[in-house]
């Protein structure tokens, strides 16, 4: 992860860690601060957008940020964040953190991760060279042209972007822990809009991520965006009712992510999770479902070898044979539960915990018994949900409820009819226990999941 | 940290140098946005302070226009070298480079500074300190404990965002402002057996240093607890097509999502608004008049000037159902011909400004709220709304946090889990009755130029028919 800086994107010189640590140690000593840690990041990025063959906007950015955390004489913790990595910025941040520590939570005091000096995993993510903004622009113009040529009804690609960037992240603390990484990343998204006379406009799109812009699957992104847009041109309202539903891998991962608080020890301790401390071991899903969080997966372009507290990233089993076997942890939640941190922490006054990269699969040696179901071949009547919208508004994570607009198809006898203006609603606990089949897992840009089949979900349409 | 007050620093000369260099290189227009921020966030859970998060930042966004195209570069480096490097990058994006030989025609120096911040210089000092902030939130969660039942989680949160901005452009624009936004809220999770309800209320203001001190905590806590008690055992709504009455204040999210975004010139540029060529035409029910403005005293979306240095305006978008005009920023005016409306907004220096809403609302009508409910046999009353969004085809959605069935013209039992979806072109003509109780509510809007402070609003309105997603 920290290799070959000569091939990295231009103009991101590594942060001078020794100087940073010396400055911090000097200010901390002067202020009588004995314990501190710091997370820092710096990045450069460039991106382009086009509109019907012309450059619409070209953007570039240089960013930096630090978060300093200090423990005061009473052992209470305070933080401050800023964008200024200069000595003056560090000094001001340290002073701000010391002032904030007067309001630290005495009932839950974070500590350094016990794994902050443990070996981190080797990630095979060679840094990629930057192509430059004019090259990005040329590629995106060409991609837009190719996409619009696929169907006469597609007249614009209103949401599009191609970007590349390089970033650096580090963690260090007053006990000598030091983590540092660099990575490069590129992304492409194309969302086309199509409209036929006398019909409503329709849209569809695709996203691709890669370590560098040269490695992006541009042709695949064009194909997928075109197919998704065109396939929604012929639409009909769907009758309201209960349906056999098949979620695409992307849609299921979105839904699972929206309810990830049920796997999150921080949310459990805060009382806002569907799970309780004693939920470990409970049957939360059908026995043939397994779930891991694997930030090290080769398909995870944004993989990092350590989290915000310096804990190494690792593959973690969350659900086995439908039973909850572990939560995601920070140092503080792990200490509370008597386990090791899992590498899922941020860095803050109240340390956040979050998932990294979900892998949904079938439990070893088990199957659903309904293997005739297949999203492309099944002759059953079902609703295929391609994408869920408005998750920020339609998911009540602490209640388990969801009511979400979606893009998808009503499939009858193998024929797909795009669904117009419909919602899917249910309860995540009932959904996980109502899964009737899992197809073969697929690697997406956001995780690994099969198509997931669920019986009897409520669909509201305007038919 | 470098100050942005030209009276106290040599920044004007620095900016004029940048703008001169940009014009010499052949840019049609160069704009520099400088920013300093100071933020605190506080969270209280149950009766404990669990998070105090101060942060501060500074940076610049430099935008160069040439022939309808633009290049934008943001940087955290406000030194001479950092700003020139950013300018060079922005110029290079458009195939330009600095040259001493090129012409400098077109830049005649900056106009006299319009300093909207001069009278706001002490707002940061006058806003609540950490002790006051935490004490008020602790008071709030204690009130929740006293007034609520079955509460498993009680939370109070507060955020104070102070921002100093300086905008300079090669057309002479030179303006400075200081903004102060405060946002506070109370939320609970009520649980009883298998029944659960999570309810929250958020409030926001601009330019009112004493806002947190003057917050009516008891009224807010009582409203949250009442709503939680009502919704704890509410059934899930049955989905379908039905008439709805949307309450005032945050009910205005329907206009924001269903129509407001489609009246921004960014949507005209993209070709994603069905209203692009409809100015002067009836696009909504004649009962609907809609306004966007940045002038209401203390409202979350109010501004002395926008992020392109233009003073805020009152813009009538729709009058008696007829489309009057679009919200436009500098780029929108250049590319679509719609005159600027003081609506160029951005989250921070990392974003180029875009046409965005400010305080957006449907105007009051002649009816009483109870008239609207009385006019419906079977329908839904949406008392409290959650968030929403609008997609590239104009399909919008928003969630209902607290709803009631309407049966034979009267309010019935509470229901939850409703999501309203529809198309702007179809729903605007169906807003058939507006009551006389216009009120506003603070919110956040995320879009092309980041997350910004806005206000939504409306009186009680009736929608003749809409898709209500449920179980």
């Amino acid at each position: 992860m920290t290799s070959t800086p000569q091939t990295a994107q231009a103009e991101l010189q590594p942060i001078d860690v020794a100087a940073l640590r010396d400055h911090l140690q000097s200010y901390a000593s002067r202020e009588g601060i004995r314990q501190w840690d710091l997370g820092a990041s710096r990045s450069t990025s460039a991106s382009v957008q086009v509109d019907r063959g012309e450059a619409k906007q070209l953007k570039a950015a240089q960013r930096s940020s630090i978060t300093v955390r200090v423990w005061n004489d009473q052992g209470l913790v305070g933080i401050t964040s800023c964008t200024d990595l200069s000595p003056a910025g560090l000094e001001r941040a340290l002073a701000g953190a010391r002032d904030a520590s007067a309001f630290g939570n005495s009932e839950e005091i974070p500590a350094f991760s016990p794994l902050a000096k443990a070996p981190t995993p080797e990630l095979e993510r060679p840094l990629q060279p930057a192509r430059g903004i004019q090259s990005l622009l040329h590629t995106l113009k060409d991609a837009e042209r190719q996409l619009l040529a696929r169907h006469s009804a597609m007249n614009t690609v209103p949401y599009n972007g191609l970007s590349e960037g390089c970033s650096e992240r580090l963690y260090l603390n007053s006990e000598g822990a030091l983590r540092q990484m660099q990575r490069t990343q590129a992304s492409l998204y194309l969302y086309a809009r199509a409209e036929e006379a006398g019909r409503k406009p329709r849209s569809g799109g695709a996203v691709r991520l890669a370590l560098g812009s040269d490695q992006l699957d541009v042709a695949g992104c064009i194909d997928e965006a075109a197919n998704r847009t065109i396939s929604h041109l012929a639409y009909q309202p769907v009758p309201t009712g209960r349906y056999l539903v098949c979620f695409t891998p992307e849609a299921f991962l979105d839904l699972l992510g929206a309810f990830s608080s049920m796997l999150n020890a921080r949310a459990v301790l805060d009382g806002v999770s569907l799970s309780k401390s004693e939920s470990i071991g409970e049957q939360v899903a059908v026995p043939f479902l397994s779930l891991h969080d694997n930030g090290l997966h080769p398909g995870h372009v944004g993989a990092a070898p350590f989290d915000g507290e310096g804990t190494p990233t690792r593959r973690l089993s969350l659900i086995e044979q439908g039973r909850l076997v572990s939560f995601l942890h920070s140092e503080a939640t792990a200490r509370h539960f008597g386990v090791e941190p899992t590498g899922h922490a941020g860095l803050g006054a109240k340390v956040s915990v979050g998932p990294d990269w979900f892998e949904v699969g079938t439990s070893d040696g088990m199957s659903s018994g309904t293997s005739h179901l297949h999203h492309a071949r099944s002759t059953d009547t079902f609703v295929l949900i391609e994408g869920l919208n408005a998750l920020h508004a339609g998911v009540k994570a602490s209640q388990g409820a969801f009511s979400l607009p979606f893009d998808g198809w009503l499939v009858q006898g193998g024929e797909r009819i795009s669904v117009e203006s419909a919602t899917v609603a249910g309860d995540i606990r009932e959904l996980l226990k109502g899964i009737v089949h899992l197809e073969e897992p697929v690697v997406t840009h956001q995780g690994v999941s099969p198509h997931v089949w669920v019986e009897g979900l409520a669909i509201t349409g305007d038919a | 940290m470098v100050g942005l007050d030209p009276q106290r620093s040599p920044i004007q000369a620095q900016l004029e140098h940048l703008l001169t260099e940009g014009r010499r290189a052949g840019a049609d227009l160069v704009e520099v946005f400088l920013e300093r921020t100071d933020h605190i966030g506080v969270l209280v859970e149950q009766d404990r302070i669990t998070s105090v998060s101060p942060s501060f930042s500074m940076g610049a966004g430099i935008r160069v226009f040439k022939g309808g195209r633009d290049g934008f570069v943001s940087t955290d480096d406000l030194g001479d070298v950092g700003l020139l490097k950013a300018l060079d990058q922005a110029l290079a994006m458009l195939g330009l480079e600095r040259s001493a030989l090129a012409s400098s025609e077109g830049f005649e120096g900056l106009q006299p500074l319009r300093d909207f911040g001069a009278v706001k210089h002490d707002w940061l000092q006058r806003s609540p300190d950490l002790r006051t902030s935490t004490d008020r939130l602790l008071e709030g969660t204690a009130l929740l404990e006293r007034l609520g039942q079955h509460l498993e989680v009680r939370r109070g949160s507060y955020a104070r965002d102070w921002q100093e901005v300086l905008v300079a452009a090669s057309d002479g624009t030179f303006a400075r402002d200081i903004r102060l936004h405060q946002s506070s809220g109370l939320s609970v999770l009520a649980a009883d057996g298998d029944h659960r309800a999570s309810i929250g209320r958020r409030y926001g203001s601009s330019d009112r240093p004493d806002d947190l001190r003057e917050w009516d905590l008891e009224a807010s806590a009582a409203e949250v607890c009442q709503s939680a008690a009502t919704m704890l055992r509410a059934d899930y709504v049955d989905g379908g097509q039905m008439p709805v009455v949307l309450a005032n204040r945050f009910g205005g999210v329907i206009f924001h999502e269903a129509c407001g975004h489609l009246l921004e010139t960014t949507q005209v540029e993209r070709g994603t608004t069905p209203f692009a060529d409809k100015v002067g035409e009836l696009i909504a029910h004649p009962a609907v008049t809609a306004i966007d403005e940045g002038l209401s005293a203390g409202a979350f979306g109010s501004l002395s000037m926008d992020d392109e240095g233009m003073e805020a305006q009152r813009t009538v978008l729709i009058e008696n159902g007829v489309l009057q005009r679009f919200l436009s920023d500098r780029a929108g005016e250049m590319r679509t011909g719609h005159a600027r409306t003081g609506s160029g907004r951005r989250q921070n220096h990392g974003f180029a400004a875009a046409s965005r809403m400010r305080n957006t609302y449907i105007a009051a009508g002649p009816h009483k709220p109870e008239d609207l409910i009385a006019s419906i046999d079977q329908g839904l009353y949406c008392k409290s709304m959650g968030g929403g969004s609008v997609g590239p085809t104009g399909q919008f959605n928003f969630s209902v946090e607290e709803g009631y069935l309407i049966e034979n013209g009267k309010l019935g039992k509470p229901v939850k889990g409703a999501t309203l979806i529809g198309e702007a072109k179809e729903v605007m003509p169906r807003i058939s009755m507006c009551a006389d109780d216009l009120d506003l509510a603070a919110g956040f809007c995320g879009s092309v130029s980041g997350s910004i402070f806005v206000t939504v609003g409306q009186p009680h309105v009736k929608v003749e028919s809409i898709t209500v997603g449920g179980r």
Side-chain angles (χ1 to χ4, degrees):
Chain A
M1 181 60 72
T2 57
S3 61
T4 58
Q6 68 274 21
T7 65
Q9 305 201 40
E11 301 185 55
L12 189 66
Q13 296 300 316
I15 295 171
D16 184 345
V17 179
L20 190 63
R21 184 159 49 194
D22 289 348
H23 280 308
L24 264 172
Q25 195 57 59
S26 168
Y27 296 138
S29 299
R30 198 177 69 201
E31 299 296 329
I33 297 167
R34 286 189 295 275
Q35 188 177 348
W36 55 263
D37 65 0
L38 172 144
S41 67
R42 202 160 57 160
S43 66
T44 64
S45 63
S47 65
V48 297
Q49 290 177 42
V50 298
D51 182 13
R52 285 159 281 196
E54 296 294 331
K56 183 164 188 296
Q57 187 166 75
L58 312 176
K59 291 178 72 173
Q62 294 94 35
R63 298 276 170 76
S64 55
S65 72
I66 56 170
T67 296
V68 179
R69 193 165 61 160
V70 305
W71 281 252
N72 68 16
D73 290 344
Q74 286 76 48
L76 301 178
V77 173
I79 75 154
T80 289
S81 301
C82 76
T83 58
D84 186 357
L85 266 64
S86 71
L90 284 176
E91 189 168 3
R92 186 176 169 205
L94 206 65
R98 185 199 53 220
D99 293 346
S101 69
F103 300 90
N105 181 5
S106 61
E107 296 190 30
E108 187 181 293
I109 300 175
F112 293 154
S113 168
L115 302 176
K117 295 182 187 174
T120 53
E122 284 294 322
L123 293 174
E124 188 55 39
R125 302 286 196 281
L127 302 177
Q128 299 299 312
R131 287 167 47 191
I133 207 153
Q134 297 301 337
S135 175
L136 297 181
L137 180 60
H138 176 78
T139 300
L140 189 58
K141 278 184 181 177
D142 193 51
E144 185 201 39
R145 182 184 56 75
Q146 289 187 49
L147 179 53
L148 291 177
R150 293 293 181 90
H151 197 284
S152 59
M154 276 197 290
N155 44 22
T156 61
V157 188
Y159 295 90
N160 64 73
L162 175 55
S163 70
E164 62 183 9
C166 182
S167 62
E168 180 181 17
R169 226 184 90 199
L170 67 83
Y171 171 84
L172 55 95
N173 71 28
S174 54
E175 287 184 355
L178 168 62
R179 309 291 200 194
Q180 192 168 13
M181 61 163 285
Q182 273 199 11
R183 71 177 163 215
T184 55
Q185 188 166 327
S187 69
L188 168 68
Y189 64 94
L190 299 167
Y191 279 80
R193 183 178 190 273
E195 190 164 10
E196 292 183 317
R199 307 279 284 167
K200 292 181 180 178
R202 308 293 282 168
S203 74
V207 178
R208 292 293 186 274
L209 302 178
L211 296 176
S213 49
D214 279 335
Q215 300 176 343
L216 284 166
D217 176 17
V218 178
C221 192
I222 293 168
D223 285 344
E224 186 178 334
N227 292 338
R228 287 192 165 177
T229 308
I230 294 164
S231 66
H232 286 297
L233 279 171
Y235 62 85
Q236 285 182 14
V238 62
T240 297
R242 290 196 174 269
Y243 289 84
L244 173 64
V245 168
C246 175
F247 291 92
T248 60
E250 292 89 348
F252 190 71
L253 287 167
D254 275 343
L255 190 65
L256 203 57
F259 284 102
S260 63
S261 61
M262 63 192 296
L263 306 163
N264 183 323
R266 179 72 269 163
V268 171
L269 294 177
D270 289 347
V272 294
S273 171
L274 292 170
S275 302
K276 304 286 185 193
S277 295
E278 57 275 18
S279 295
I280 296 295
E282 282 183 6
Q283 192 79 34
V284 297
V286 289
F288 53 90
L289 182 128
S290 75
L291 175 65
H292 292 78
D293 187 274
N294 183 10
L296 305 176
H297 191 282
H300 184 9
V301 170
F306 57 91
D307 72 0
E309 296 180 318
T311 301
T313 304
R314 65 183 167 99
R315 187 171 190 259
L316 177 71
S317 181
L318 294 165
I319 296 175
E320 287 179 5
Q321 297 187 352
R323 292 185 186 279
L324 187 64
V325 295
S326 178
F327 292 128
L328 307 166
H329 284 287
S330 65
E331 176 281 325
T333 65
R335 188 155 33 97
H336 180 94
F337 281 85
V339 298
E340 283 196 330
T342 58
H344 294 91
L347 183 65
K350 177 174 180 174
V351 174
S352 62
V353 176
D356 201 342
W357 175 266
F358 281 145
E359 286 180 336
V360 182
T362 303
S363 306
D364 289 343
M366 301 188 80
S367 69
S368 62
T370 50
S371 56
H372 70 285
L373 294 173
H374 189 276
H375 69 280
R377 297 192 296 269
S378 181
T379 55
D380 294 49
T381 295
F382 65 97
V383 171
L384 176 56
I385 293 183
E386 175 189 66
L388 296 165
N389 304 319
L391 287 128
H392 69 288
V395 164
K396 299 291 183 192
S398 60
Q399 298 176 29
F402 62 90
S403 178
L404 298 165
F406 68 91
D407 298 317
W409 297 272
L410 176 63
V411 187
Q412 292 175 305
E415 184 191 0
R416 287 186 183 186
I417 302 159
S418 177
V419 167
E420 181 214 357
S421 293
T423 65
V424 58
D427 183 291
I428 190 68
R429 293 161 294 191
E430 294 170 12
L431 183 149
L432 290 173
K433 291 180 177 175
I435 294 171
V436 294
H437 184 55
L438 303 172
E439 297 182 22
E440 286 300 308
V442 176
V443 180
T444 77
H445 70 271
Q446 58 193 118
V448 180
S449 174
H451 283 75
V452 177
W453 292 76
V454 182
E455 188 65 76
L457 282 178
I459 303 284
T460 303
D462 60 1
Chain B
M1 181 183 287
V2 178
L4 300 183
D5 184 350
Q7 314 293 333
R8 302 179 186 195
S9 74
I11 205 157
Q12 180 167 350
Q14 191 181 11
L15 290 168
E16 289 188 323
H17 177 60
L18 280 173
L19 299 174
T20 300
E21 290 291 306
R23 285 286 287 154
R24 276 184 178 163
D28 293 340
L29 187 118
V30 181
E31 179 200 77
V32 183
F33 176 86
L34 301 178
E35 174 190 44
R36 286 199 308 155
T37 69
D38 190 308
H39 166 90
I40 58 170
V42 180
L43 177 66
V44 165
E45 294 173 276
Q46 316 299 53
D47 300 303
R48 292 199 312 271
I49 303 162
T50 55
S51 178
V52 171
S53 308
S55 63
F56 56 93
S57 71
M58 60 181 178
I62 297 182
R63 196 173 191 186
V64 175
F65 291 87
K66 177 71 177 175
R69 297 164 60 195
D70 72 275
F72 176 79
V73 176
S74 62
T75 178
D76 297 333
D77 184 352
L78 294 191
D80 286 338
V81 173
L83 289 174
L84 275 172
K85 183 178 162 189
L87 175 66
D88 285 340
Q89 271 190 288
L91 291 169
M93 289 175 181
L94 304 178
L96 305 173
E97 63 178 320
R98 283 194 287 144
S99 165
L101 300 176
S103 166
S104 61
E105 267 184 44
F107 179 55
E108 298 170 352
L110 294 170
Q111 295 165 359
L113 179 73
R114 286 177 299 133
D115 193 354
F116 300 99
V119 296
K120 311 172 184 177
H121 62 90
D122 62 346
W123 280 4
L124 183 59
Q125 290 70 38
R126 284 173 53 199
S127 64
D129 60 14
L130 286 175
R131 175 61 62 197
T132 306
S133 310
T134 52
D135 284 351
R136 288 292 280 160
L137 294 184
L138 287 165
E139 191 183 339
T141 56
L143 280 164
L144 291 172
E145 171 72 1
R146 179 160 68 80
L147 299 173
Q149 292 182 321
H150 304 294
L151 302 187
E152 292 205 342
V153 177
R154 293 171 285 124
R155 281 181 167 169
S157 60
Y158 169 70
R160 187 265 285 142
D161 289 280
W162 177 92
Q163 181 194 39
E164 179 185 20
V165 300
L166 184 65
V167 180
S170 59
D171 64 356
T173 300
F174 193 34
R176 173 179 173 266
D177 196 14
I178 286 174
R179 287 94 176 250
L180 177 68
H181 289 91
Q182 295 180 85
S183 164
S184 50
L186 295 175
S187 63
V188 299
L189 173 65
D192 187 15
D194 289 337
H195 300 285
R196 286 188 148 210
S198 53
I199 299 291
R201 294 287 186 273
R202 177 151 289 282
Y203 311 90
S205 72
S206 67
D207 302 355
R208 286 183 169 164
D210 291 323
D211 189 61
L212 183 67
R213 299 183 187 93
E214 294 170 355
W215 182 15
D216 187 345
L217 275 165
E218 180 126 9
S220 297
E223 185 182 354
V224 169
C225 291
Q226 174 62 46
S227 182
T230 302
M231 299 311 295
L232 182 57
R233 292 179 181 76
D235 289 334
Y236 286 97
V237 68
D238 290 330
Q241 292 284 317
M242 62 188 79
V244 303
V245 172
L246 296 158
N248 59 356
R249 305 187 72 239
F250 209 70
V253 71
I254 186 174
F255 183 80
H256 180 101
E257 300 296 354
C259 193
H261 278 296
L262 301 177
L263 300 181
E264 297 165 341
T265 49
T266 48
Q267 304 282 339
V268 180
E269 290 179 51
R270 281 201 175 107
T272 49
T273 173
F275 304 128
D277 56 353
K278 304 291 185 195
V279 172
E281 295 183 23
L282 197 69
I283 65 162
H285 193 283
V288 175
T289 290
I291 292 148
D292 180 277
E293 46 86 357
L295 304 171
S296 292
F300 215 33
S302 291
L303 303 160
S304 297
M305 66 175 214
D306 72 0
D307 292 326
E308 297 178 321
M310 183 175 180
E311 284 186 65
Q313 292 184 345
R314 180 178 188 270
T315 309
V316 177
L317 301 170
I318 297 171
E319 188 163 25
N320 301 324
V322 176
L323 178 60
Q324 301 296 313
R325 67 182 303 177
F326 285 83
L327 298 173
S328 187
D329 63 327
R330 192 188 286 279
E333 181 178 74
M334 201 176 290
R335 292 170 183 150
T336 70
H338 292 285
R340 290 166 70 188
T341 52
S343 306
R345 303 188 64 191
R346 60 183 111 200
Q347 178 178 332
N348 56 38
H349 66 273
F351 296 87
S355 54
R356 303 289 297 275
M357 285 176 271
R358 297 160 296 191
N359 308 308
T360 314
Y361 47 87
I362 296 175
H367 303 284
K368 296 294 177 194
E370 50 270 30
D371 298 339
L372 279 55
I373 291 166
S375 71
I376 294 174
D377 288 336
Q378 299 287 327
L380 181 69
Y381 173 56
C382 306
K383 182 178 178 184
S384 173
M385 258 58 69
S389 62
V390 62
T393 61
Q395 186 178 89
F396 68 87
N397 63 76
F398 58 96
S399 67
V400 181
E401 195 170 75
E402 182 177 349
Y404 296 82
L405 297 180
I406 300 174
E407 295 166 321
N408 302 317
K410 296 188 185 322
L411 291 186
K413 66 177 186 176
V415 289
K416 61 185 176 185
T419 299
L420 273 54
I421 63 172
E423 307 264 351
K425 272 173 72 172
E426 293 175 354
V427 81
M428 292 310 297
R430 295 182 191 162
I431 299 177
S432 59
M433 295 174 79
C434 297
D436 59 359
D437 58 346
L438 169 66
D439 203 356
L440 308 181
F444 296 89
C445 172
S447 186
V448 59
S449 60
S451 176
I452 59 171
F453 308 104
V454 297
T455 297
V456 298
Q458 65 173 33
H460 276 76
V461 302
K462 176 186 174 184
V463 182
E464 289 295 333
S465 177
I466 195 168
T467 300
V468 178
R471 297 193 196 176

